[in-house]
Structure formats: structure tokens, C-alpha cells
Amino acid sequence: MKCAWKELLAVLPVWLRKEVDRRQEDSLREIRLRINAPPELNLAGEKTKLPGQVTRQDLDFVINAASRYSPWSAATAARGFLTAAGGHRIGLCGEPVIRSGEITGMGTIRSLCIRVAGDYPGIASPLAKISGSLLILGAPGWGKTTLLRDLIRQTSPRETLCVVDERGELLPPELDPGTDADVLTGCSKEAGIPMLLRTMGPDTIAVDEITAPEDVRALLSAANCGVRLLATAHAASAADFQSRSVYRPLLTQPVFPTLAVLKQDNTYTVERIGKWNCDGLAHY
């Protein structure tokens, strides 16, 4: 596994860096920091607690180091996360600021979840041979972004491929400095996909995490323009994906004739819409 390890350590409080650095880089999945509690690491699915207690000053340090005081990072914090250098996503939990029924920011933050961005070059080789649009399914933390990142890397040399990297974690320059893709960073799918269609002439558009009706509408628009799509969505199985109302417009055409369904044991199956039969198995 490749990881922007120095960038990860740089956002941690100084007293915690040595303890984290002692752990194996390829097994660290998450770091959870809760006020007045010991730091918690997720090492390949096994949780372990480190000595010491997290303070409010520690949380402030992580947030400031990750955001680098940028306006875009401050805006994403209102949605409950920050993206640090290297593509590491930091989830925020506490008391949100709510105005007119909408979350406009985060007030008191009591805990953070730092998800380590990993890179496994070559894991998408079986998927790179598939033609047509493809959707990667999986539960949170099962590696959808990681698999899509490698698929983009393998696909972009032979296609005009554009990416809407909404959170700046799909193709961070620290992990992939030489990609052949054209990347639009910090922009919603709803705004970014039409922009790419108008200005960049893509053969393929890739996006991470379809979560809202406006995402679906933007993808439908691109599909109707004849553009190939690569995307990810939260669903534990093909049947789970089919049952979710937000995704139903994508099934009508269908937009994605092929699904790559991730499993918790770091394998994925390839399934065809309408057949639901497995025709491939890959490990990473």
C-alpha cells in the first residue's frame, strides 16, 4: 500500500506522532480522537487504544493543520468533514451550527475520525478491461475510493478522462502526481459534470460517492450525452443498491450495466445489471 504518511503525521498533535509512526503504515485505517479519552487506532479492523488523553487543544491543532485556514476547507467543514493533504478525510462530530434549518458550520467539536487514504496500484486491473460505465458499490470504509483511484489511473492513458473530485481526496497530488486525468477539485457533481461536458470534451467522467438526487441527475445528463461514467455509491450489495430510491433513476436506462461489489474481506465481485450473476473475483 502507498500512503501519504508524512502528510498524515503532520496533522497529528506532536505528542501523538511517534506512537502512530510506530504502527505499520499498511494496516492503519482510522484514527479516532475524542476529548478526554485515549486515541483509538483501527489497524486492519482491530481497534487499539494508545496512552494519553486527547484535549480540546489537540482537536484544534488537527483542524487547523488539516484546513490550512483555506476558505474551501472551512466550507466543507459545514458538511462535517475536512480533507487534509494526501487525501486523508477528517470527520467532525459535536454540535453543529444550524440556521433556518440548515447546518452552516461546526460549533463545538468533541471528536474526530481521521480516515487514512491508501493507494494500492494495480488492484483495478480486472475492471480496466471492462467497457461501458461501471459503478463501484460498498459499505463505508471498504475501499470504494481506493479502487476508483486505481481504475482512473489505469483508464486515463487511453481515454480522455475527467474527474470531479468533490472533496479533494480522490486524486490528491501527494498520492498521484502524474495522472493523465483532468481533475476538477472542490466542486459539486451537480455543477462540475455539466462544466466538464461543456469545456473538456471527456470520453469518460469519474466521480466518487453518489449520495443525492442532484448527483443522479447530473450523471443521467452525462449518460444521455454518450459519456462513459465511473462512480461509487454506498450499498452493501447489488440488491441493496437496487432497493434504494435515490438510485432508481440510474436503473431505468440502466446507466451502469456493470457493478463492482466490494466485500469486507478486500475482494470484489463483478456483476451485470439484469443478470446479477458473478463473473469475476479479484483480491487486493
Side-chain angles (χ1 to χ4, degrees):
M1 182 187 85
K2 290 170 57 182
C3 172
W5 191 250
K6 290 181 180 179
E7 287 77 9
L8 174 66
L9 295 178
V11 303
L12 299 178
V14 175
W15 67 269
L16 186 54
R17 293 176 189 174
K18 285 187 178 180
E19 285 292 335
V20 172
D21 199 26
R22 289 171 49 201
R23 268 60 188 182
Q24 290 187 352
E25 179 178 328
D26 59 355
S27 65
L28 182 60
R29 300 291 183 266
E30 288 181 352
I31 304 170
R32 290 186 182 265
L33 304 178
R34 305 178 179 97
I35 289 180
N36 299 327
E40 181 182 281
L41 306 185
N42 183 330
L43 300 167
E46 294 187 7
K47 295 181 179 181
T48 183
K49 294 189 177 181
L50 301 180
Q53 280 199 337
V54 175
T55 66
R56 182 170 301 281
Q57 289 73 24
D58 292 328
L59 299 190
D60 290 341
F61 179 90
V62 173
I63 292 167
N64 290 331
S67 68
R68 292 160 284 180
Y69 300 96
S70 75
W72 178 70
S73 292
T76 65
R79 295 156 61 190
F81 71 91
L82 292 168
T83 302
H88 307 294
R89 189 197 304 184
I90 301 176
L92 314 174
C93 194
E95 295 180 9
V97 177
I98 300 176
R99 292 190 177 93
S100 301
E102 293 187 2
I103 296 176
T104 59
M106 292 296 295
T108 302
I109 296 174
R110 296 195 178 93
S111 61
L112 303 175
C113 173
I114 305 171
R115 291 178 59 179
V116 179
D119 191 22
Y120 296 80
I123 60 171
S125 295
L127 302 182
K129 301 173 184 177
I130 296 172
S131 60
S133 296
L134 184 145
L135 180 65
I136 298 169
L137 302 180
W142 284 12
K144 297 185 295 298
T145 300
T146 305
L147 187 57
L148 179 59
R149 180 183 298 123
D150 191 58
L151 181 57
I152 292 169
R153 179 188 296 117
Q154 297 199 40
T155 303
S156 59
R158 63 177 186 271
E159 299 180 16
T160 302
L161 194 153
C162 295
V163 181
V164 180
D165 192 359
E166 194 166 0
R167 292 179 299 273
E169 62 186 49
L170 184 53
L171 288 173
E174 296 85 0
L175 280 182
D176 207 318
T179 181
D180 292 323
D182 299 306
V183 184
L184 188 62
T185 304
C187 180
S188 71
K189 303 174 192 68
E190 182 182 23
I193 289 176
M195 183 186 301
L196 293 175
L197 289 171
R198 289 193 304 268
T199 62
M200 298 303 292
D203 298 319
T204 301
I205 292 178
V207 301
D208 198 16
E209 294 194 3
I210 307 167
T211 58
E214 52 267 28
D215 298 343
V216 171
R217 288 193 294 270
L219 289 171
L220 286 170
S221 175
N224 289 332
C225 291
V227 175
R228 182 187 182 217
L229 299 169
L230 305 174
T232 70
H234 291 300
S237 65
D240 185 19
F241 168 71
Q242 190 181 30
S243 69
R244 300 196 182 196
S245 59
V246 69
Y247 300 138
R248 284 176 191 163
L250 299 174
L251 291 163
T252 304
Q253 296 194 25
V255 173
F256 294 100
T258 307
L259 306 177
V261 184
L262 282 158
K263 301 181 181 298
Q264 195 170 13
D265 62 355
N266 292 344
T267 66
Y268 59 85
T269 59
V270 177
E271 305 185 19
R272 306 289 183 180
I273 291 283
K275 295 182 179 178
W276 310 108
N277 64 310
C278 169
D279 58 24
L281 181 67
H283 294 262
Y284 68 92

